[in-house]
Amino acid sequence: MKTTRWCQSRWWGPFCGLIVGLNVLANPMAAAQSGNPLRRLLHADTARFGRILRAPDQYRVQIIYTQINRDAQNKPHFCSYTYGGQNLRRYFYPASTVKLPAAAVALEKLRSLRTQLDGHGLTSESPMRIDSAFAGQTRVDWDSTNTTLRPSIAHYVRKVLLVSDNDAYNRLYEFVGPGPLNAALQARGYRRVRLMHRLSVGDKEPGSRHTNPITFFADSSLKTPVYQQKAGFFAGAWPQLDLKGEKIGQGYMQDDKPIQEPLDFSTKNYISLADLQGVLRAIMFPESLPAKRRFQLAAADYQFLRQYMSMLPRESKAPRYDSLEYPDNYAKFLLAGSPAGPLPPGVRIFNKIGQAYGFLIDNAYIMDETRGVEFLLSAVIYTNADGILNDDQYEYDAIGFPFMRDLGQAVYQHELKRTRRNRPDLSQFKEAP
């Protein structure tokens, strides 16, 4: 597999500095000598990673590992390494990982509306009513998991980040709208993005272009509206991306019937692994970005996102989650993936995972304040030995989760031994749930 590396003290954009690594991409011998720790870590442990290394095309592995080095002023400087260079432009289904950028853009839109309305009581906690205005849309008046018994943008973000709730993502999609959602991400420099449907409801055109009318209220009795958003329709063109391998598998199941041809993902969501890590980085380290690249969020918004990205389901008071159904590692694949259990002592993981169609993805910032460790790690693996999609016969437990766990552990152990000139002060991320 091809590898590359790029380093910078400021985050200029997805694959910034890739030119520096072109010789490595073009020359596998150079890659072997480039000092890429990912390559060393994977090839040093063939017992855990040998199966994956021997069949890179089958498993479609993509990895981006970003080291973080702090200067004397505690400012972060980044050095990124990739594994699976030939796959980095190859399609993978991002599944629930798209929920993190949607949450950021939803909070950004809400802050913009608040400014336009000069406040007037509109906040992320404002009670909402979601109506229906097109075939397939559903109405929402109540949310029994919220203390107000009403839905709100903040509560949908909580559910998205705590347990990857699909309906919560769909409501954020309806609030922002697919056109503005893609445009907002592209304006921040994320160009390898195509978010074009809701999740787990069979959403497709034309329904995916239509969004529900929404009203925000000043009170939980829904008597005093503060903002009304009409039903929307996105008439523009979806982002056109030059992707490889959008037809996947040998066949798929549809309505319990086998279809003997690959499943075409060209009408499904996509976001590159580099852009996923870029969004995560923008949330964790906004000060490292130029102003035009930052999400237009207040400090409280960033703190809110970080809190629920790292919070464990059992730590949440509203919504409440049963720890038997939602163990600590329920949505933490890297370092802690399956079987159910706790995270390693002292470790906090800020992340967003995805799981669908045989793909497992995790996009994580991992920190251990006691040991002075922090790094970004994003990875994709595809596990579908029979080549049939939608048959629920994927090797998640046998191959996917163990790979994610072992990869996270290998990088974490490497980070424990890595020499740092300055010990990081991570107190800004140590936020009590």
Side-chain angles (χ1 to χ4, degrees):
M1 271 201 174
K2 295 181 180 179
T3 58
T4 190
R5 165 193 179 186
W6 73 97
C7 301
Q8 65 279 336
S9 59
R10 295 287 180 179
W11 179 242
W12 298 329
F15 285 86
C16 169
L18 185 57
I19 294 175
V20 176
L22 284 179
N23 289 335
V24 174
L25 283 171
N27 186 346
M29 289 300 293
Q33 300 171 14
S34 68
N36 186 329
L38 270 177
R39 186 175 183 84
R40 291 201 308 271
L41 291 171
L42 294 173
H43 284 270
D45 193 345
T46 54
R48 292 197 292 180
F49 302 117
R51 180 206 301 259
I52 309 301
L53 300 177
R54 288 190 295 270
D57 289 337
Q58 176 181 345
Y59 294 109
R60 296 175 175 240
V61 170
Q62 302 181 34
I63 309 170
I64 302 176
Y65 160 43
T66 298
Q67 293 179 350
I68 304 169
N69 296 294
R70 303 277 181 160
D71 61 22
Q73 288 72 46
N74 203 45
K75 291 182 179 179
H77 300 255
F78 307 98
C79 192
S80 296
Y81 302 88
T82 71
Y83 191 86
Q86 74 271 28
N87 283 335
L88 292 177
R89 283 186 174 270
R90 193 177 188 184
Y91 180 86
F92 67 90
Y93 184 67
S96 293
T97 60
V98 302
K99 296 170 184 175
L100 180 59
V105 174
L107 291 175
E108 187 178 57
K109 175 177 177 176
L110 199 66
R111 182 152 295 276
S112 175
L113 288 173
R114 181 175 171 80
T115 300
Q116 294 173 32
L117 297 171
D118 196 24
H120 288 292
L122 180 63
T123 73
S124 62
E125 302 284 4
S126 293
M128 303 165 59
R129 172 187 290 140
I130 302 175
D131 288 304
S132 60
F134 192 79
Q137 293 182 355
T138 55
R139 176 176 173 141
V140 183
D141 289 294
W142 300 95
D143 188 335
S144 62
T145 69
N146 200 354
T147 55
T148 65
L149 300 180
R150 299 292 186 182
S152 71
I153 293 299
H155 206 62
Y156 283 135
V157 171
R158 291 185 188 101
K159 292 197 280 188
V160 154
L161 298 180
L162 283 165
V163 297
S164 202
D165 187 284
N166 286 329
D167 178 71
Y169 166 79
N170 295 344
R171 303 310 179 175
L172 298 178
Y173 177 94
E174 291 161 0
F175 169 58
V176 177
L181 176 57
N182 285 284
L185 293 170
Q186 290 171 355
R188 301 285 173 263
Y190 307 112
R191 303 300 175 88
R192 309 284 293 172
V193 177
R194 182 183 70 206
L195 304 186
M196 55 195 304
H197 60 81
R198 299 168 180 83
L199 299 178
S200 295
V201 292
D203 196 26
K204 57 185 179 181
E205 297 201 55
S208 58
R209 292 180 175 271
H210 288 264
T211 54
N212 310 41
I214 299 173
T215 306
F216 293 84
F217 294 86
D219 58 303
S220 59
S221 62
L222 307 188
K223 292 181 179 179
T224 309
V226 293
Y227 175 72
Q228 292 180 296
Q229 178 173 291
K230 296 180 180 180
F233 176 73
F234 173 55
W238 298 112
Q240 298 299 306
L241 306 177
D242 181 21
L243 298 172
K244 299 178 181 178
E246 289 187 290
K247 294 184 178 181
I248 299 176
Q250 301 171 1
Y252 61 95
M253 300 298 294
Q254 181 172 293
D255 299 326
D256 295 326
K257 297 179 181 179
I259 307 297
Q260 303 300 324
E261 61 183 40
L263 183 59
D264 187 355
F265 283 81
S266 63
T267 59
K268 295 187 181 296
N269 290 337
Y270 176 73
I271 179 169
S272 72
L273 195 65
D275 281 354
L276 279 174
Q277 190 171 107
V279 169
L280 174 64
R281 206 162 172 176
I283 293 170
M284 302 305 300
F285 302 98
E287 70 285 347
S288 71
L289 294 164
K292 65 180 181 181
R293 295 293 313 281
R294 300 176 192 174
F295 291 109
Q296 299 304 299
L297 299 174
D301 296 320
Y302 283 113
Q303 183 177 356
F304 178 72
L305 287 169
R306 293 169 188 158
Q307 179 181 356
Y308 285 96
M309 286 166 62
S310 65
M311 183 182 286
L312 306 177
R314 62 176 169 81
E315 295 173 328
S316 173
K317 304 304 180 186
R320 285 189 175 275
Y321 295 105
D322 185 341
S323 61
L324 293 178
E325 184 177 358
Y326 298 97
D328 288 357
N329 64 342
Y330 174 77
K332 310 290 183 186
F333 296 167
L334 289 165
L335 196 63
S338 189
L343 303 187
V347 170
R348 203 97 180 142
I349 302 176
F350 302 72
N351 76 314
K352 189 70 204 73
I353 54 87
Q355 177 181 348
Y357 294 111
F359 288 98
L360 285 181
I361 315 101
D362 200 351
N363 181 34
Y365 167 75
I366 298 173
M367 61 165 276
D368 184 333
E369 185 181 27
T370 302
R371 297 170 180 82
V373 166
E374 62 173 337
F375 59 96
L376 291 155
L377 185 60
S378 308
V380 179
I381 187 171
Y382 176 65
T383 58
N384 187 18
D386 67 7
I388 306 300
L389 292 97
N390 283 341
D391 64 352
D392 293 328
Q393 301 298 312
Y394 306 119
E395 295 74 48
Y396 292 136
D397 292 327
I399 298 174
F401 289 127
F403 171 78
M404 287 289 187
R405 180 192 64 232
D406 294 344
L407 173 63
Q409 290 177 352
V411 174
Y412 175 69
Q413 291 299 320
H414 173 74
E415 284 281 325
L416 287 175
K417 301 171 185 174
R418 190 168 70 84
T419 301
R420 290 172 172 79
R421 181 173 297 179
N422 300 290
R423 183 181 176 87
D425 177 1
L426 304 177
S427 57
Q428 70 182 107
F429 298 138
K430 191 179 180 181
E431 296 156 354

